[in-house]
Amino acid sequence: MRSSPRPPTSIPTIWRSRTRLRERLAGAITKLPKTERQVVTLYYAESLLLKEIGELLGFSESRASQVHARALERLRGLLEPETTAAEAKEE
């Protein structure tokens, strides 16, 4: 038996959800170690390449990539418990 389709989500609801996500992400970024925070900010906010970030911060492109990957892992860890808790509330 097929379940009925979910009602469409309203635009204001989507914007509130995105705003909450951005606030959570900004809060999680502030918890990163300084170098990881710098790499994430330069990569996503300033749109620099990893090579450029490495040159700016004084390490290789490879090291910039490692720091970026570690920062993303850490951010997932910081955000995941909140996401899991929010999903549990919806059920």
Side-chain angles (χ1 to χ4, degrees):
M1 186 176 249
R2 297 178 85 183
S3 62
S4 60
R6 295 178 72 182
T9 306
S10 70
I11 297 298
T13 301
I14 292 170
W15 282 109
R16 279 192 302 273
S17 178
R18 286 185 180 179
T19 299
R20 281 193 302 269
L21 177 60
R22 286 182 183 166
E23 289 169 354
R24 288 178 45 223
L25 183 57
I29 289 170
T30 65
K31 295 176 184 176
L32 293 175
K34 182 180 176 182
T35 302
E36 291 179 14
R37 190 171 57 249
Q38 289 174 319
V39 169
V40 167
T41 301
L42 291 169
Y43 189 80
Y44 292 102
E46 302 298 328
S47 300
L48 294 183
L49 301 173
L50 292 171
K51 181 178 182 178
E52 296 168 320
I53 293 168
E55 290 171 358
L56 188 64
L57 298 179
F59 43 77
S60 69
E61 178 180 3
S62 176
R63 180 68 186 137
S65 179
Q66 292 170 347
V67 172
H68 177 258
R70 179 67 184 125
L72 294 184
E73 284 179 32
R74 198 180 305 265
L75 286 171
R76 282 187 200 101
L78 290 167
L79 294 172
E80 195 170 81
E82 294 176 30
T83 303
T84 304
E87 290 170 354
K89 282 184 181 179
E90 291 177 4
E91 292 178 358

